[in-house]
Amino acid sequence: MSGRLKVTIRDVARAAGVSVTSVSRHLNGQISLPEPTASRIGQAAERLGYRPNAIARRLNSGKSETLGLITADIAYPLFAEIASASEAEAARHGYNLLMFNSRNLVEKEVSFLSRIEDRQVDGILLLTNHHDDGRLLRRINETGNVVLLDEDVPGAKAPRLFADNVNGGLLATRHLIARGHTRIAAIGGPRGLLSTTERLDGFTRALGEVGLHADPALLRFCEYEEAPASIAFLDLLQQDEPPTAIFTFGDMLATGAMRAARQAGIRIPDDISLVSFDDIHNADLLAPALTTVRQSAAEFGTRGVNMLIDFISGGKIETVIERVGVELVIRGSVAPPHSRPSGRSTRHTGSGSPDGLPVSAREEEPKK
């Protein structure tokens, strides 16, 4: 066969002594043949160096063997880590993963979702980061085979995987209260987003536990980006009674606040404490190292892919909501008001002792 440019399925059938139909159906998993026959086909295909036509196989099966991931911004550290974990898990199941960067534009998200109907992908993981005006809802319900990650599209017929946002808000705010703070501000993401609503809920609950309330004058909301967070941070500190601590609902908001603080000569945590949410890569290398609520990007990616494959296969109902657990990673950005930090680095995941301190904690090993 060395003179042939390409080995065909007919060559394999001739070498194995079976019909072309038997070879095709066997290689596509559409028929169960006796072991001797299946073995002859396998040996013939290997000996001849036969490679099935992937495009033809996908057309015949009606499946693309490809999943999609729509992200609002692939440069956002948390989303990049979720994408990496999703690709690895998809590959483990024999799927390719196409990544679509929507730049948080609904027009692009709607367009990318059409890839399901075009059979370019079998299903899509959607990481949107804005309030839906109804277009996403309609498109998701028309196409099906979508799993929502991190943020919700209310009313969509899709399984969902979210962080335990309320518990994260509780952990972050309780930690500030335990260190002696009572005038605590919050910089949240856009109003109406699931993450903003739920983290704010945890924040207000924690304050209520000790008889405090969320002062509207200490609440700011903006896009999950550094620049607006810097403006919000400086605005909070210009009040007659500025806060002694701030809870930012995302680490990109925290880095914006830290950048503004550095430029204004404000010291963290000496002048103001800061706790955040996400635990993006290298959060421990910021100056000071950032105390933040960790949500596992790897878990989002692996569980999200498995939920999507189950949904495509009919094994996951569209109304299911699952949660990724969170833990508070304590580093160096929080200290008692007007006090220097202790330098300890600990973490805890559950409720604390009656005074709000963690029941147990351990040193976080520095990253190599």
Side-chain angles (χ1 to χ4, degrees):
M1 305 298 295
S2 59
R4 299 285 295 274
L5 294 177
K6 181 179 180 181
V7 177
T8 69
I9 195 170
R10 294 184 181 279
D11 298 321
V12 175
R14 188 180 302 111
V18 297
S19 69
V20 171
T21 300
S22 295
V23 174
S24 175
R25 297 184 67 189
H26 171 69
L27 294 179
N28 288 324
Q30 298 172 342
I31 191 173
S32 179
L33 295 174
E35 177 56 33
T37 305
S39 180
R40 288 204 312 275
I41 293 174
Q43 290 174 4
E46 183 177 359
R47 184 172 67 253
L48 296 174
Y50 174 69
R51 294 186 60 192
N53 186 318
I55 296 176
R57 184 179 69 247
R58 292 169 185 171
L59 289 174
N60 289 333
S61 67
K63 296 181 179 179
S64 69
E65 300 176 6
T66 301
L67 304 178
L69 172 68
I70 300 174
T71 177
D73 185 357
I74 196 63
Y76 193 93
L78 177 68
F79 295 165
E81 292 180 52
I82 292 175
S84 178
S86 299
E87 190 279 330
E89 185 66 11
R92 194 177 72 83
H93 287 279
Y95 284 86
N96 298 312
L97 184 74
L98 287 181
M99 299 184 194
F100 306 105
N101 193 29
S102 72
R103 295 184 176 86
N104 213 26
L105 298 174
V106 67
E107 295 83 3
K108 286 184 172 290
E109 292 171 338
V110 169
S111 175
F112 292 148
L113 286 168
S114 299
R115 304 296 180 96
I116 298 174
E117 291 182 333
D118 296 340
R119 295 190 177 180
Q120 295 180 37
V121 296
D122 297 328
I124 284 178
L125 299 169
L126 176 58
L127 271 163
T128 188
N129 204 28
H130 59 77
H131 179 70
D132 179 37
D133 61 4
R135 283 179 286 175
L136 272 181
L137 171 64
R138 288 193 296 272
R139 201 66 183 135
I140 291 170
N141 290 347
E142 288 170 357
T143 61
N145 288 2
V146 175
V147 169
L148 301 174
L149 298 185
D150 193 47
E151 297 290 357
D152 196 16
V153 178
K157 297 176 182 178
R160 293 154 164 83
L161 181 61
F162 303 141
D164 190 354
N165 293 301
V166 175
N167 188 40
L170 283 166
L171 290 172
T173 311
R174 284 172 178 166
H175 178 62
L176 293 174
I177 294 170
R179 299 306 298 271
H181 296 278
T182 56
R183 189 158 178 78
I184 304 172
I187 301 177
R191 291 181 183 273
L193 284 189
L194 176 90
S195 60
T196 301
T197 301
E198 293 188 340
R199 292 169 197 179
L200 182 62
D201 185 17
F203 173 74
T204 55
R205 285 193 201 182
L207 292 175
E209 290 173 349
V210 293
L212 299 174
H213 71 281
D215 186 347
L218 297 182
L219 301 179
R220 298 291 184 275
F221 301 92
C222 62
E223 297 297 323
Y224 279 112
E225 298 172 0
E226 283 192 14
S230 295
I231 296 171
F233 174 82
L234 294 175
D235 183 51
L236 286 167
L237 294 191
Q238 289 172 358
Q239 297 194 38
D240 293 336
E241 285 188 76
T244 62
I246 298 177
F247 171 30
T248 59
F249 290 10
D251 285 355
M252 293 303 289
L253 301 178
T255 56
M258 295 175 83
R259 188 183 303 278
R262 186 174 298 115
Q263 293 172 348
I266 299 168
R267 299 169 301 170
I268 299 174
D270 302 66
D271 299 322
I272 188 165
S273 288
L274 186 67
V275 65
S276 191
F277 202 114
D278 282 343
D279 195 31
I280 60 174
H281 184 62
N282 288 339
D284 60 325
L285 299 182
L286 297 172
L290 184 62
T291 294
T292 185
V293 175
R294 173 178 295 165
Q295 55 176 333
S296 171
E299 189 173 350
F300 261 113
T302 56
R303 286 177 62 183
V305 166
N306 281 283
M307 288 177 72
L308 182 56
I309 293 173
D310 285 348
F311 190 38
I312 292 170
S313 304
K316 181 74 67 175
I317 58 175
E318 62 192 20
T319 56
V320 70
I321 299 177
E322 297 185 8
R323 296 280 179 173
V324 171
V326 297
E327 59 180 341
L328 178 66
V329 182
I330 303 173
R331 298 191 179 106
S333 61
V334 176
H338 311 299
S339 173
R340 292 190 176 277
S342 65
R344 289 180 58 80
S345 176
T346 59
R347 71 177 67 176
H348 65 93
T349 59
S351 59
S353 60
D355 63 0
L357 292 172
V359 174
S360 62
R362 63 183 175 86
E363 294 291 332
E364 182 188 49
E365 295 294 332
K367 294 182 180 178
K368 304 295 184 184

